[in-house]
Amino acid sequence: GQNIDQPTEMTATEGAIVQINCTYQTSGFNGLFWYQQHAGEAPTFLSYNVLDGLEEKGRFSSFLSRSKGYSYLLLKELQMKDSASYLCAVGDSNYQLIWGAGTKLIIKP
Amino acid sequence: DVKVTQSSRYLVKRTGEKVFLECVQDMDHENMFWYRQDPGLGLRLIYFSYDVKMKEKGDIPEGYSVSREKKERFSLILESASTNQTSMYLCASTPLTGLGPGANVLTFGAGSRLTVL
């Protein structure tokens, strides 16, 4: 079967760095996506990886290892507004997205 | 920016009622999707559409139907609402299908939170 695993909840301190992991098993691979979802709001696109390596976008970076079925989202210089859920999704062989349950990130002052 | 608008943010319905959830996108996207989101679960695809009058079942189509009479509008219909359909419903669209983030990045509406009593 197809499966995406990510931690349910993480806590970090304002100004610190946090890494949210995502492991996947899917039939085929057509890219890995990270979305951010604030409570009560729609998910918004953060990053996309299709090749191995690190993609950096400001304070956020996303890493992919296809051979290990593994990705992480790295958030630096954490701000209170980064408190949200972070959703990992993988495109399968039919380009349909398989979603993880999301990681709720709590930022403390 | 692409905008996806869902007509109702909050709905309360009774068991057995027919429910219509409307979604409109304004950027001429080809593909439209309906997901439901429940605590502790990933987004689950109900139905999607690649073109006008075309629809494809997702992972959990039972108890739902859809309509896409115009390119910009994709409606989700609950023929006879049940309490297990209480959920957050998210509509989304993408321009194309294929490789690359531009083709597959979903733009979501704000969601419709449905409670069935």
Side-chain angles (χ1 to χ4, degrees), chain A residues 2-3 5 9 11 15 22 26 32 35 46 49 55-56 58-59 66 83-84 87 99 105:
Chain A
Q2 307 199 96
N3 193 51
D5 285 319
E9 187 174 295
T11 302
C22 171
T26 57
L32 186 142
Y35 285 78
L46 281 179
N49 295 70
E55 294 281 341
E56 297 187 77
R59 294 189 298 113
R66 287 173 296 170
S83 292
L87 313 181
W99 295 83
L105 178 63

Side-chain angles (χ1 to χ4, degrees), chain A residues 13 53 75 78 85:
Chain A
T13 304
L75 292 74
L78 285 170
S85 290

Side-chain angles (χ1 to χ4, degrees), chain A residues 8-26:
Chain A
T8 302
E9 187 174 295
M10 299 181 71
T11 302
T13 304
E14 190 177 16
I17 299 173
V18 71
Q19 178 176 311
I20 302 174
N21 295 326
C22 171
T23 58
Y24 64 90
Q25 288 180 301
T26 57

Side-chain angles (χ1 to χ4, degrees), chain B residues 57-98:
Chain B
K57 292 180 180 179
D59 299 319
I60 52 164
E62 296 79 17
Y64 304 95
S65 62
V66 290
S67 172
R68 194 166 181 201
E69 295 297 318
K70 294 185 178 181
K71 189 174 185 179
E72 67 271 18
R73 186 179 298 269
F74 192 36
S75 302
L76 180 69
I77 303 151
L78 288 67
E79 294 288 342
S80 178
S82 62
T83 54
N84 63 12
Q85 292 179 311
T86 292
S87 187
M88 170 69 85
Y89 291 89
L90 292 167
C91 176
S93 69
T94 63
L96 298 165
T97 301

Side-chain angles (χ1 to χ4, degrees), chain B:
Chain B
D1 283 349
V2 175
K3 190 171 180 181
V4 178
T5 303
Q6 294 184 231
S7 55
S8 303
R9 286 300 306 271
Y10 300 94
L11 303 95
V12 179
K13 297 292 182 181
R14 296 207 175 272
T15 301
E17 281 192 81
K18 192 169 186 176
V19 182
F20 293 88
L21 300 179
E22 303 287 340
C23 175
V24 178
Q25 50 94 3
D26 66 0
M27 283 296 289
D28 203 35
H29 278 186
E30 302 294 326
N31 307 323
M32 297 188 74
F33 305 80
W34 275 105
Y35 287 92
R36 66 178 280 177
Q37 185 175 34
D38 299 292
L41 299 177
L43 293 177
R44 292 183 291 169
L45 182 63
I46 304 171
Y47 269 97
F48 60 100
S49 169
Y50 288 135
D51 201 352
V52 175
K53 296 192 184 296
M54 294 188 68
K55 60 185 179 183
E56 298 285 343
K57 292 180 180 179
D59 299 319
I60 52 164
E62 296 79 17
Y64 304 95
S65 62
V66 290
S67 172
R68 194 166 181 201
E69 295 297 318
K70 294 185 178 181
K71 189 174 185 179
E72 67 271 18
R73 186 179 298 269
F74 192 36
S75 302
L76 180 69
I77 303 151
L78 288 67
E79 294 288 342
S80 178
S82 62
T83 54
N84 63 12
Q85 292 179 311
T86 292
S87 187
M88 170 69 85
Y89 291 89
L90 292 167
C91 176
S93 69
T94 63
L96 298 165
T97 301
L99 283 176
N104 294 317
V105 171
L106 289 160
T107 300
F108 286 90
S112 299
R113 184 167 292 283
L114 172 66
T115 301
V116 183
L117 301 176

